[in-house]
């Protein structure tokens, strides 16, 4: 917690049968590990999500705390490396999906988004491959990758309506 603390980002969407992605929940903040673990359990309870947690560096502790609390929590570790820049499966694939009209971005009649959703949109708009990738953009990519690995982006998978949660902890 505090200004010098790392950010945590949660991004949950529902993969619809027609291939579009309905954003259900976007949240970010600076929380201690017990609070992050509580939020993981809450997100799973609310959205029946598979939780994807980056396990690079200190983030591994969050995985360990969550598993200590309940081994049955559907938790998947995500190691970020060169896969982030992969031309077909990397972060930039989120933008290709946007261009194709896949993402349903919630907004009001004037086109205004919730501040957390707007932060995600801004991170997408101002993405620079050589700079730090925004936490919410990374979390959305993790969620997308979870669905891809489950075969849900191509109409496969047992439950095409299952959401996925991406969670990321990165330094500022």
């Amino acid at each position: 917690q505090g200004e010098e603390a790392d950010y945590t980002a949660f991004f949950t969407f529902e993969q619809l049968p027609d291939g579009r992605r309905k954003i259900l929940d976007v949240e970010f903040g600076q929380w201690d590990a017990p609070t992050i673990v509580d939020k993981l359990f809450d997100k799973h309870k609310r959205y029946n999500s598979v939780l994807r947690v980056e396990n690079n560096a200190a983030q591994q502790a969050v995985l360990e705390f969550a598993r200590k609390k309940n081994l049955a929590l559907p938790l998947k570790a995500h190691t970020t490396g060169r896969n982030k820049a992969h031309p077909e499966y990397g972060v930039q694939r989120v933008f290709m999906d946007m261009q194709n009209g896949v993402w349903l971005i919630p907004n009001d009649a004037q086109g205004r988004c919730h501040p957390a959703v707007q932060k995600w949109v801004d991170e997408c708009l101002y993405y620079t491959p050589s700079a730090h990738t925004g936490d919410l953009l990374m979390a959305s990519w993790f969620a997308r990758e979870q669905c891809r690995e489950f075969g849900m982006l191509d109409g496969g998978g047992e439950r095409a309506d299952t959401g996925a949660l991406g969670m990321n902890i990165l330094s500022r």
Side-chain angles (χ1 to χ4, degrees), residues 33-34 36-37 40-41 53-73 75-77 167 169:
I36 294 167
V37 170
L40 282 169
F41 279 86
V53 180
E54 187 173 30
N55 66 345
N56 297 355
Q59 296 93 314
Q60 181 65 33
V62 171
L63 283 167
E64 292 169 11
F65 290 143
R67 287 180 177 142
K68 269 188 178 178
K69 188 171 180 177
N70 185 342
L71 282 173
L73 186 69
L75 207 54
K76 171 127 172 74
M167 195 276 276
I169 308 166

Side-chain angles (χ1 to χ4, degrees), residues 72-105:
L73 186 69
L75 207 54
K76 171 127 172 74
H78 180 99
T79 302
T80 302
R82 291 187 306 180
N83 56 345
K84 179 179 167 184
H86 190 281
E88 187 176 354
Y89 304 119
V91 171
Q92 293 185 24
R93 182 58 194 251
V94 172
F95 311 136
M96 194 180 317
D97 293 344
M98 283 182 167
Q99 182 179 349
N100 291 335
V102 169
W103 290 99
L104 300 176
I105 302 171

Side-chain angles (χ1 to χ4, degrees), residues 16-31:
L16 301 173
D18 67 1
R20 293 178 301 155
R21 297 187 192 110
K22 180 180 176 182
I23 297 172
L24 302 175
D25 183 60
V26 178
E27 184 179 15
F28 68 97
Q30 294 171 302
W31 304 293

Side-chain angles (χ1 to χ4, degrees), residues 10-12 23-29 31 39 43 46-47 104-123 136:
F10 293 92
F11 191 97
T12 308
I23 297 172
L24 302 175
D25 183 60
V26 178
E27 184 179 15
F28 68 97
W31 304 293
K39 286 182 174 291
K43 303 291 183 184
R46 287 196 295 155
Y47 301 108
L104 300 176
I105 302 171
N107 59 81
D108 65 16
Q110 286 75 42
R112 294 179 300 231
C113 298
H114 181 277
V117 174
Q118 186 60 55
K119 181 170 175 48
W120 173 70
V121 169
D122 291 344
E123 288 179 5
L136 288 169

